[in-house]
Structures are given as C-alpha cells and as structure tokens.
C-alpha cells in the first residue's frame, strides 16, 4: 500500500502568515513549523518559476502548477509532498560539460588560462571600486580648491590635484578619465555580481597524483583559483559532468520521519518512486535525489552503527529508482533553505512561535545526548553561557567588589549581560557611570578592555567570557557522554563520513568541497590531492575558505620625502610638497562636574545677549551657552542648539580658532552697535559678536577687538589705577568666584601688576571698528597700510578726510 502523502497534506494545518516582500505584505498560508525564512525562500522559488505571488494561497498554487508540469507523476501526490516540506525542487551544481584530461599536452595551458580568467573576475570588483574612488578624489581636489577655476584644474598649480591624478593613474585610470574627472564628471562604482564559474571536471591518473607527480601540482594550482573536481576514473568523470544536465530534487529525511513514524523505509521508497518517475518522464537518463538531513536522522534514531544505517538508507533510495541509477548528492543551498536544512553543527538558528529568532541546541544532538545519558541543560549552558558573572571563574562579583564595584554597578552590569554578546560591552559607559569610572576606578575614560586595565589576566577574562556567553561548539564540554565525544567535537567530520558511505552506491561521485585555509598554497593543496588519491576517493574538490572580513594588514602611509624615487627618470628638479597628517584623538573630553567660566552680558543692535562659558581645569574653553530672552521661540531654540553643537565640537577637540575664523564677519540681523562689552563696540551679527568675544577672551586675538578697553586688557581684567608710575594691586575677589572657591582663596589675596601687556600705541579707532564699503555696503572695509580694501567685493576706495 502506497504511503498516503495527500491525506497528510490535507490534514496539515496551514494558518495564514503575513510576510513582507518587495515593499508590501503578502498573506501566505504555510505549515506552522515553517519559519519566515523558509516561506520567503519558497516565494522566491515561485517567483523565479513565473508563478504569481499574491494574497491567498500562492505557495499551494505554485507547487500545484509546477507538479502538473512533471507529467510522469501524480500531480496531487507530488504537490502534497511539496506542501509537507518533504521535497524541494533543486538545481544541480554548474559543471563544465567537457572533461579535461591532465594527460593531454595542452591541459596545463588550458588550466592556467582558466585560472587567469577567474582571478581577473574575482579581482574586478575591488579594482573597479578602487578606480572609482581614485577618480572621485580627483574631482574633490578640484571642487575643494579655493582660487581661480583654471588654476584649480591645473595639476601644476594645484598640488592636491597632482597627487590625486598620480594615484588614479597608478590604479589604472587613463589620462582621459582623469581629465573627465577634473571637468566634473562623476565616476560612481556599481557592485558587480560575484562570479560563479562552472565546476571544471578533470581526469587524472590516481598513481601520479598519489606520488606527487607534476600533474598533482598542476591540479592544485588550478584548484586554488577556481572550482576543480579531480576524478580518477573515466566513468566518474563522465557521470560528474553529466550531473549538471540531470533533473534534481532534495529530500528532507527528518520531515519524512516526523510524519511516517519510526519505520521510515516504506515511506522513503514510495517517495523516491513517485519522484523518480516524474523526473524521468521527459526522457532524462539520470536523476539526482539528495538525502537532506541524513546526519540528523541517524542521530535522532540512535543507530548503533551510523555508517551501516547510512548505507541502508542509500540502498533504499537506489532500489526505489526505476530504470535509472541516481546520484545521491544535491548541494543546493536554496533548496536546503526551503526545507529548513543546514549543515550539521552544535547549534542552529530557530524562530519561536512569537517570531523571535534565537539560537538553540540542535534537536538531533539533544536527542542523542539524552539517549546517551547526558544532561541537555549542561550542554546548553556550555554552548550559550549563563548570562551572569555570579560564581564565574576569573572575573566574578567578589573580584569586582575588590576593585571598587558596588551593588549599583554590579546590577547595571548584570542587566547589560542579557543584552550584549561580549563581556567588554558590559564594562563601559553608559552601563558604568562616567563619574564612577573616573572617581572610583581612577580612569579618565574607558579605552579598550576595562577588565584588562583593571589588572585581570587575559586567561581569566577569557574564562569569564566563556562562562557568560558560552563556547562556539561542544568540543570542550566536560560532561559530554563518552560515546558522543567524536561527533560533538567535529560534527562536520561525522557528516563527511556518512557522505563517504553514500558515495559508494551513488551513480555520481560526491562533489562537496574540501575547504582549505584561505592562505593555503599550491604545495599544501597538492598534498591534500595526494591524500585523497591514496584513500581511494572517487573524486576530490578543493576550495579555499573566504578570508576574514576587514583589513588583514596593519599598514601605515609612508612619509613623502624630497628624494626622487629610483625608478623615476631624472628629467628636471621638481619641488615636492611634504604634508604631515596628524590624527587627533576622537574621544570626547568630558568637562568637570564643577567648572569655572564667566558670564558676559551685552546688547547687539539693542538685543540683549548673555554668553555663559565653561572651562576645563587648565582654563581651555569647553562649552558655551547663548541666551536671548526677548527673542522669538524659534530664534532662541536655534541659538541654544547652535551653542550645543559648538560645545560638542570643542569637547571633541575642534580648535576654537577654527570656529572663530568661520563665524566672525558673518552678516545678518540683529547687528550694529554693541553695548555692555568693554572690548567690542560693533558687530555685523550675533555670531560675529559671540566669536569676537571668545577670540579676544580665550585666544588673545586682539585684532578682533574694535573698542578701547579704557584701562582693561583684552580678557577684561583691570590694570588698576596708576599711582606714582606703578599700577596698584586689585583684590582677587573681583575675578575669583567666592562660591566656586568655597573659601579656598584667602580674603587678602590680590592680583599683582606683573604680566601686563607692553605699552603700545592705541590705533586709531577708525581703523578697527567696522566701516561700510561705499561700493557694496558691507561692513567689511579694512585698512591695508595706507589704503583701504573691501573683503567682500575687493574694492579699494579712496578714504579722504
């Protein structure tokens, strides 16, 4: 009696799920056990097959339509197996149809040429991005230049442009593209798709490869730059090359066991017969039926001999295929995603009933651990940690209390441990108060790992990290059952041993790659090929692992020197501009909680302005506040937020000089006469007044003062009256806040008259206060020697009388 797949599919609950797709939400009916990722993968398949994806039941409609096209099978039963998640359509690996024999005289040249093509394709993306960035730098060197347009666009007059053009030429830009970039043409890079060239099938003599003959090194060099499947028998080479043309499906053995019960063989035979007929209906001479979840199934069953059980299942599939010898390997990532399958590992990503995505111990391993008498909770603690430092080795509450931590800091740290994935993130602001770090721990700021700065050894921190957040696998689990230790220590090796058993009855060899380190050399690859040949493997495929993300080298830009490079011809003496880039510390310098400063009240054009300043201990300006009480709410808010922005810039190290130069001489209302300030008599705007005041008071920029201080120097400190040729002392209480000092300054403290500026002739006020230009009207007319020049329009009027 055939297994009733259709009956099970009819009884399967498929509630409606809301899936966001292409900017819209689609209502999809799907089994409850399916994750959103599975549903999205099936929708992608339906869209690629040309089926409409709309609200309702798009998956069932697409599956039924695709099953109807498989004319050799029962469309209803085929659709049922798809809806149950037992089978997924799959694509075989892209394989070159021609077999390359390494014994041919031209094989070496052909492999070398193919390797060069693949290297060029792999490096093209990075080269295009570097070229576009270099040309963009050329355009920026012109646009950021201040001066005549012709000079800015001339490399001889614009050193920055000359350097950018040379850099662009070195990365491959033509002079024509450089000239277009100078003219303003933009060169935006578009990411290229990652090339996926077909798998090259090569045939070699097993003895030659095993002995390390030149053929082994030739194949190894080709394997480093592209996919190369090395076979040792002509039949295996032909079957591997022909697998690309075979229709393929992937089975989920774990899903089949869930609906069929303990005895899976009858249902498996019916499922394979159903699909082998459908796949061969159009005259296909070979099919591929992948055994997905084989390792999980054997672990759940608890078979005493895993390899024998894998051989039994493979034999069942082969016997159920009628008039065709199937390949039992289908390595299609998308098909695996549709069935919820993943490579065997200690943990897996899972979606809970409320939609949260979490990590969990793989159910197959949990069943095996429980059956072997192990404690699943202990494995989970080892794998996912305890999310607390209570009783942790190396770093725990007792050790932290000895460093000055109190219950407040420990509670904040424990709360953070549930939300972060690294121990260092729980020991930095804002988890720890900046005042606690400074006052108790004695650190101005947390830079790097705070635990290391507190004196905890590296191994102690590592043990606490593992206690809190767990280990990547179960290799070091001390409570592991003895019978499971080989599997738990290397699940991928266990899965590879099962594939080796299946390969013995498969029509085509296993094409799963053996992943090498990304730094592997051709010699190392040749050794791996030799080992595979001596072990009797039917085929071997090597593949380099992807390198780690991010920069792998710590490189510094060498300083330019005036010495000419040895390879540059000496044509003429060239003056080179030597630049030195100083990288500023980008950490924020916090102001002390109790800080000094001053308040300046003045009126600009009749509008009152209050400037409050805050200083560091060394007297450097760290913040400003601007109050204009009678202005509109919008203008007041704008000025308040402007002051906050300036304060943040100062605390991150922006020099006050930069702000002063940027905002003096700005022109907008209110403007005009300034009253209440002994150094500044007129201003062209509120910002002009504010930054004149700050420049005079903190930078000693006396050229920004446009009023006679009448006995006061530029920072507002009086010189006192002069008696008998000597200025008198002034009580310090005039300049030192009694509340800020809190009695630290004695009452008889005075300011001595030393350190006064030298007597210099006071310039004519007419040359320092703002004067309107008769040509443009701006108050930017400045005296240059005996004449006057307008900074706005460049006019040089005659100022007679």
């Amino acid at each position: 009696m055939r297994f009733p797949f259709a009956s099970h599919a009819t009884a399967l609950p498929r509630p409606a799920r809301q899936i966001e797709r292409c900017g819209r939400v689609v209502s999809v009916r799907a089994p409850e056990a399916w994750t959103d990722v599975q549903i999205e993968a099936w929708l992608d398949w339906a869209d690629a097959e040309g089926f409409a994806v709309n609200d309702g039941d798009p998956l069932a409609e697409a599956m039924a339509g695709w099953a109807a096209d498989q004319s050799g099978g029962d469309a209803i039963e085929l659709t049922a197996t798809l809806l149950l998640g037992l089978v997924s359509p799959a694509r075989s690996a892209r394989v070159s149809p021609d077999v390359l024999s390494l014994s041919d005289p031209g094989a070496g040249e052909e492999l070398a040429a193919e390797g060069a093509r693949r290297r060029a394709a792999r490096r093209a993306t990075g080269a295009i991005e570097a070229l576009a960035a270099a040309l963009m730098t050329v355009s920026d060197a012109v646009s950021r230049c201040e001066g005549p347009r012709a000079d800015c666009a001339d490399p001889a007059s614009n050193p920055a442009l000359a350097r950018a053009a040379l850099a662009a030429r070195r990365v491959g830009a033509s002079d024509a593209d450089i000239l277009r970039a100078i003219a303003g043409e933009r060169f935006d890079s578009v990411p290229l798709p990652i090339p996926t060239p077909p798998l090259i099938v090569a045939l070699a003599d097993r003895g030659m490869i095993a002995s390390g003959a030149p053929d082994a090194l030739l194949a190894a060099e080709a394997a480093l730059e592209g996919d190369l499947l090395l076979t040792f028998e002509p039949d295996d080479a032909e079957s591997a090359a022909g697998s690309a043309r075979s229709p393929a499906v992937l089975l989920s053995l774990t899903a089949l066991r869930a609906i069929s019960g303990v005895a899976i063989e009858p249902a498996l035979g019916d499922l394979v017969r159903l699909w082998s007929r459908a796949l061969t209906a159009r005259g296909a001479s070979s099919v591929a039926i992948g055994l997905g979840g084989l390792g999980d199934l054997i672990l759940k069953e608890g078979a005493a001999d895993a390899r024998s059980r894998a051989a039994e299942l493979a034999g069942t599939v082969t016997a159920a295929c009628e008039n065709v010898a199937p390949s039992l390997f289908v390595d299609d990532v998308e098909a695996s995603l549709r069935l919820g399958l993943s490579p065997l590992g200690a943990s897996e990503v899972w979606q809970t009933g409320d939609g949260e995505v979490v990590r969990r111990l793989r159910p197959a391993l949990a069943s095996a651990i429980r059956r072997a008498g192990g404690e699943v909770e202990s494995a989970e603690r080892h794998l996912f940690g305890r999310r607390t430092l209570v009783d942790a080795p190396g770093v725990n509450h007792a050790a932290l209390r000895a460093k000055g931590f109190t219950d407040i800091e420990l509670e904040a740290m424990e709360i953070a441990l549930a939300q972060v994935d690294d121990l260092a993130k729980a020991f930095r602001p804002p988890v720890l108060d900046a005042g606690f770090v400074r006052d108790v721990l004695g650190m101005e700021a947390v830079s790097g790992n705070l635990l290391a700065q507190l004196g905890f050894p590296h191994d102690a921190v590592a043990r606490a990290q593992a206690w809190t957040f767990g280990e990547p696998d179960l290799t070091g689990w001390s409570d592991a059952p003895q019978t499971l230790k080989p599997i738990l220590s290397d699940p991928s090796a266990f899965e590879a041993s099962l594939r080796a058993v299946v390969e013995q009855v498969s029509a085509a060899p296993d094409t799963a790659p053996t992943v090498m380190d990304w730094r592997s050399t051709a010699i190392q690859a040749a050794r791996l090929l030799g080992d595979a040949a001596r072990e009797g493997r039917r085929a071997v495929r090597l593949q380099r692992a992807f390198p780690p993300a991010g920069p792998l080298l710590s490189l510094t830009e060498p300083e330019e020197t005036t010495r000419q490079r040895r390879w540059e011809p000496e044509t003429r003496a060239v003056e080179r501009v030597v630049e030195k880039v100083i990288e500023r510390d980008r950490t924020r310098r916090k102001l002390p909680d109790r800080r000094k400063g001053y308040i300046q009240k003045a009126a600009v054009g009749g509008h009152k302005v209050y400037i409050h300043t805050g200083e560091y201990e060394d007297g450097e300006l760290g913040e400003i506040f601007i109050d204009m009480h009678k202005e509109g709410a919008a203008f007041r808010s704008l000025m308040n937020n402007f002051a906050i922005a300036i304060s943040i810039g100062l605390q991150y190290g922006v020099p006050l000089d930069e702000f002063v130069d940027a905002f003096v001489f700005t022109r907008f209302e209110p403007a005009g006469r300034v009253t209440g300030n002994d150094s500044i008599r007129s201003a062209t705007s509120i910002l002009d007044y504010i930054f004149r005041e700050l420049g005079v008071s903190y930078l000693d920029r006396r050229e920004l003062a446009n009023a006679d201080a009448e006995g006061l120097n530029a920072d507002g400190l009086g010189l006192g009256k002069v008696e008998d040729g000597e200025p008198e002392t002034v009580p310090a209480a005039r300049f030192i806040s009694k509340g800020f000092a809190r009695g630290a300054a004695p009452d008889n403290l005075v300011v001595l008259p030393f350190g006064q500026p030298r007597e210099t002739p006071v310039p004519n006020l007419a040359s320092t206060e703002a004067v309107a230009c008769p040509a443009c009207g701006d108050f930017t007319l400045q005296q240059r020697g005996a004449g006057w020049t307008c900074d706005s329009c460049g006019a040089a009027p005659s100022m007679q009388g």
Side-chain angles (χ1 to χ4, degrees):
M1 181 179 178
R2 195 171 68 175
F3 190 84
F5 296 108
S7 300
H8 280 80
T10 303
L12 179 68
R14 293 193 299 119
R17 303 268 288 274
Q18 305 300 316
I19 301 297
E20 184 176 354
R21 179 176 174 81
C22 301
R24 65 188 183 97
V25 177
V26 181
S27 179
V28 181
R29 293 182 59 197
E32 291 179 331
W34 286 13
T35 65
D36 290 349
V37 174
Q38 282 182 260
I39 298 174
E40 291 171 4
W42 276 109
L43 291 176
D44 290 340
W45 167 81
D47 190 39
E49 292 291 333
F51 296 102
V53 178
N54 299 313
D55 288 338
D57 201 359
L59 290 184
E61 294 171 2
M63 291 173 181
W66 187 81
D69 293 338
Q70 315 303 314
S71 57
D74 187 338
I76 296 177
E77 291 291 314
L78 293 176
T79 304
T81 61
L82 296 173
L83 284 172
L84 290 169
L86 305 179
V87 180
S88 171
R91 289 186 174 89
S92 300
R94 292 183 59 205
V95 179
S96 177
D98 300 324
V99 177
L100 179 64
S101 176
L102 297 187
S103 60
D104 293 342
E109 294 180 1
E110 187 173 346
L111 281 179
E114 182 63 26
R117 284 191 293 269
R118 299 190 180 199
R119 276 193 298 270
R122 175 170 54 84
R123 297 167 181 167
T125 300
I128 290 175
E129 292 177 355
L131 182 61
L135 292 173
M136 195 71 70
T137 305
V138 172
S139 299
D140 291 342
V142 177
S143 62
R144 294 176 181 176
C145 174
E146 297 179 0
R149 172 68 185 177
D151 292 342
C152 289
D154 184 5
S157 303
N158 185 349
L161 174 59
R163 292 192 296 272
L166 283 173
R169 182 187 284 176
R170 291 191 189 103
V171 298
S174 65
D175 285 1
D177 283 336
I178 295 175
L179 290 173
R180 294 187 186 105
I182 292 175
E185 185 174 335
R186 309 299 290 180
F187 292 85
D188 298 324
S189 64
V190 178
L192 295 177
I194 299 176
T196 54
L199 182 66
I200 300 175
V201 179
L203 176 63
D205 182 84
R206 185 182 298 272
M208 299 291 286
I209 299 298
S211 62
D215 287 353
L217 187 59
L218 181 66
E221 291 174 348
L224 292 180
E225 288 301 336
D227 277 348
L228 177 72
L229 181 68
L230 187 64
T231 60
F232 306 103
E233 300 294 337
D235 290 342
D236 289 334
E238 293 296 335
S239 61
S243 63
R245 300 181 292 273
S246 302
V249 292
L250 181 64
L251 310 183
S252 175
L253 299 180
T254 52
L256 183 61
R257 182 178 185 269
I259 68 169
S260 64
V262 178
I264 192 178
E265 280 82 354
L268 178 60
D270 290 340
L271 183 63
V272 172
R273 272 188 292 273
L274 178 67
W275 277 99
S276 65
R277 291 170 184 169
L279 296 178
T280 57
R282 297 184 178 180
S285 59
S286 61
V287 296
I289 300 178
L291 304 182
L294 179 61
D296 289 281
L297 175 68
I298 293 176
L299 287 175
K300 283 186 175 182
E301 289 181 339
D305 189 345
R307 294 172 62 88
S308 298
R309 181 57 178 155
E312 292 174 3
L313 293 171
T316 300
V317 174
T318 303
C321 289
E322 299 173 348
N323 303 321
V324 64
S327 170
L328 302 183
F329 298 104
V330 174
D331 295 312
D332 184 350
V333 176
E334 294 297 327
S336 299
L337 200 60
R338 290 191 285 270
L339 296 179
L341 301 174
S342 61
L344 189 61
S347 64
E348 66 179 12
V349 178
W350 186 249
Q351 182 176 334
T352 62
D354 57 0
E356 184 181 2
V357 177
V358 297
R359 287 176 62 211
R360 69 172 182 180
L361 180 65
R362 200 174 188 95
L365 285 179
S367 299
I369 291 172
R370 193 176 294 110
R371 186 179 295 106
E375 186 181 352
V376 174
E377 291 76 10
S378 175
E380 291 175 340
R381 286 194 298 269
H382 177 86
L383 200 58
F384 306 122
R386 297 158 180 81
R387 295 287 173 169
T388 180
L389 285 179
V390 176
D391 298 330
V395 182
N396 50 42
H397 284 202
L400 292 172
R401 289 183 188 278
K403 300 291 185 181
F405 282 69
T406 67
D407 290 341
I408 297 176
E409 287 75 36
L410 293 178
E411 181 181 2
M413 177 267 299
E414 288 289 337
I415 294 174
L417 290 178
Q419 305 169 355
V420 299
D421 56 2
D422 186 77
L423 205 57
K425 295 179 181 179
F427 287 89
R428 64 178 56 168
V431 178
L432 299 179
D433 184 71
F436 167 78
V437 174
R438 181 182 62 252
D439 300 334
V440 178
L441 301 183
M443 302 177 185
E444 287 298 326
V446 178
S447 58
N449 193 329
L450 176 65
L451 294 176
Q453 297 177 24
L454 291 175
F456 288 101
H458 177 74
D459 61 334
V461 176
R463 283 185 282 119
Q465 171 84 15
W467 170 276
T468 307
F469 300 104
E471 299 282 1
D473 51 46
L474 293 172
T475 302
W477 180 32
S478 57
D479 297 331
Q482 194 65 31
T483 56
L484 290 180
K485 281 190 175 181
I487 300 175
L488 298 179
S489 62
D490 195 352
S492 59
F494 169 71
E495 199 166 37
S497 67
L498 300 181
R499 293 178 70 103
V501 173
V502 174
E503 188 182 37
Q504 297 176 7
V505 297
S506 174
D510 186 7
T511 59
T514 299
V515 180
M516 304 178 293
D517 187 85
W518 64 274
R519 294 163 294 191
S520 297
T521 63
I523 299 297
Q524 293 170 326
R527 292 197 189 102
L528 292 176
L529 293 178
D531 293 340
R534 287 186 291 271
E535 291 170 1
R537 294 176 57 178
R538 295 172 59 184
V540 57
R541 176 185 174 190
L542 301 181
Q543 195 174 71
R544 269 177 171 168
F546 288 104
L552 303 176
L553 295 175
S554 178
L555 302 176
T556 57
E557 189 72 24
E559 294 187 2
E560 291 289 338
T561 63
T562 56
R563 180 172 54 86
Q564 192 174 24
R565 294 186 178 93
R566 287 178 296 176
W567 59 83
E568 291 179 351
E570 285 192 27
T571 55
R572 60 187 178 88
V574 179
E575 180 182 357
R576 298 195 177 187
V577 178
V578 180
E579 295 182 350
K580 184 177 181 181
V581 178
I582 300 176
E583 184 71 19
R584 290 185 176 272
D585 184 9
R586 297 184 182 181
T587 57
R588 187 174 181 178
R589 183 186 176 192
K590 293 290 186 180
L591 282 160
D593 294 335
R594 185 177 181 86
R595 45 191 175 266
K596 59 185 184 296
Y598 72 89
I599 302 175
Q600 171 69 59
K601 174 186 175 183
V604 179
H607 295 259
K608 288 184 180 179
V609 182
Y610 292 83
I611 302 176
H612 303 242
T613 68
E615 303 173 4
Y616 292 100
E617 292 88 341
D618 58 2
E620 185 177 348
L621 180 64
E623 68 178 358
I624 64 170
F625 297 94
I626 304 171
D627 291 330
M628 300 185 68
H629 296 294
K630 294 186 179 181
E631 301 299 323
F635 190 79
R636 284 204 315 270
S637 300
L638 186 63
M639 295 304 294
N640 288 339
N641 286 279
F642 174 79
I644 293 173
I646 296 297
S647 301
I648 293 174
L650 291 170
Q651 293 168 26
Y652 272 101
V654 179
L656 179 59
D657 272 315
E658 297 290 335
F659 288 125
V660 172
D661 293 339
F663 293 110
V664 294
F665 297 114
T666 53
R667 183 176 180 80
F668 58 86
E669 295 297 332
R673 184 166 177 264
V674 176
T675 59
N677 191 300
D678 49 31
S679 297
I680 302 169
R681 190 178 263 185
S682 63
T684 59
S685 67
I686 293 292
L687 296 187
D688 177 56
Y689 161 70
I690 291 170
F691 286 96
R692 281 178 183 270
E693 164 62 27
L694 297 177
V696 169
S697 299
Y698 285 98
L699 303 176
D700 201 25
R701 296 273 295 269
R702 299 175 185 275
E703 73 276 9
L704 298 177
N706 52 20
D708 186 1
E710 299 180 357
L712 298 178
N713 62 11
D715 59 3
L717 298 180
L719 302 179
K721 297 179 181 178
V722 178
E723 296 182 1
D724 299 329
E726 293 293 334
E728 66 178 7
T729 60
V730 178
R734 181 176 176 184
F735 310 112
I736 300 177
S737 169
K738 185 175 183 180
F740 181 84
R742 288 180 173 173
D747 294 337
N748 59 353
L749 186 67
V750 296
V751 176
L752 297 177
F754 63 83
Q756 303 170 9
R758 294 181 180 180
E759 297 270 344
T760 56
V762 178
N764 187 3
L765 292 179
S767 65
T768 58
E769 62 186 12
V771 180
C773 173
C776 65
D778 284 354
F779 286 85
T780 55
L781 200 64
Q782 300 291 330
Q783 188 171 10
R784 303 285 190 270
W788 294 77
T789 302
C790 179
D791 290 340
S792 296
C793 65
S798 175
M799 304 294 290
Q800 299 294 334

